[in-house]
Amino acid sequence: MAFKSAIGLLGLFLSSNLIPGVVWGHGENKPGPHGGHIRMPGAFHTELVMKSKKELNVFLLDMEWANPTTEGSSVKVILKSGTKESLLTCETAKDHFRCKTSKGVSMALPGKVEITANRKGASGGLAVYELPLKASH
């Protein structure tokens, strides 16, 4: 019986100490090079920088969190709040995508920003950012 308890305690210790490392394994708990929030939806990183309640910037970074690009790249950004869903309008800027909500839609309420991106032809999965973004970055 003591052996089973020891194994249970070891499992609890490992899961509580290793899972945060897995969740934040690619530095998602640190600010990106532009001060934003990082996700890794594939073979690249997305960095979301909130500019206002109605505008955000999306940087598509390489594996080293560098070389943002829009060349040969695209983003689709959806805001979800409650049962409402809104597609943001995104345009290319120098080295990022500038995305804005439609009239009457705000990112101030709790919800999610979902980004689907392609960087230089590499497809990424879904990058999800919970709103409001944590200020700890």
Side-chain angles (χ1 to χ4, degrees), residues 7-21:
I7 294 295
L9 287 173
L10 177 63
L12 179 62
F13 172 79
L14 290 174
S15 65
S16 64
N17 287 299
L18 293 179
I19 288 176

Side-chain angles (χ1 to χ4, degrees), residues 35-118:
H37 298 262
I38 297 286
R39 296 290 182 271
M40 185 178 170
F44 58 90
H45 291 88
T46 59
E47 180 181 8
L48 179 123
V49 178
M50 296 293 292
K51 301 305 282 181
S52 71
K53 294 184 262 184
K54 302 186 75 45
E55 184 178 340
L56 57 84
N57 290 339
V58 177
F59 293 85
L60 303 180
L61 308 170
D62 63 19
M63 292 299 287
E64 285 78 38
W65 292 25
N67 303 310
T69 188
T70 59
E71 186 179 328
S73 304
S74 64
V75 296
K76 178 181 176 184
V77 181
I78 296 175
L79 170 65
K80 292 184 175 182
S81 184
T83 59
K84 296 181 181 179
E85 194 171 294
S86 178
L87 179 65
L88 275 66
T89 303
C90 298
E91 60 186 32
T92 57
K94 180 181 176 185
D95 61 353
H96 64 279
F97 292 89
R98 184 177 302 119
C99 304
K100 297 179 181 181
T101 64
S102 56
K103 188 172 183 170
V105 177
S106 171
M107 292 180 277
L109 300 174
K112 296 178 184 178
V113 172
E114 297 182 347
I115 300 173
T116 305
N118 294 300

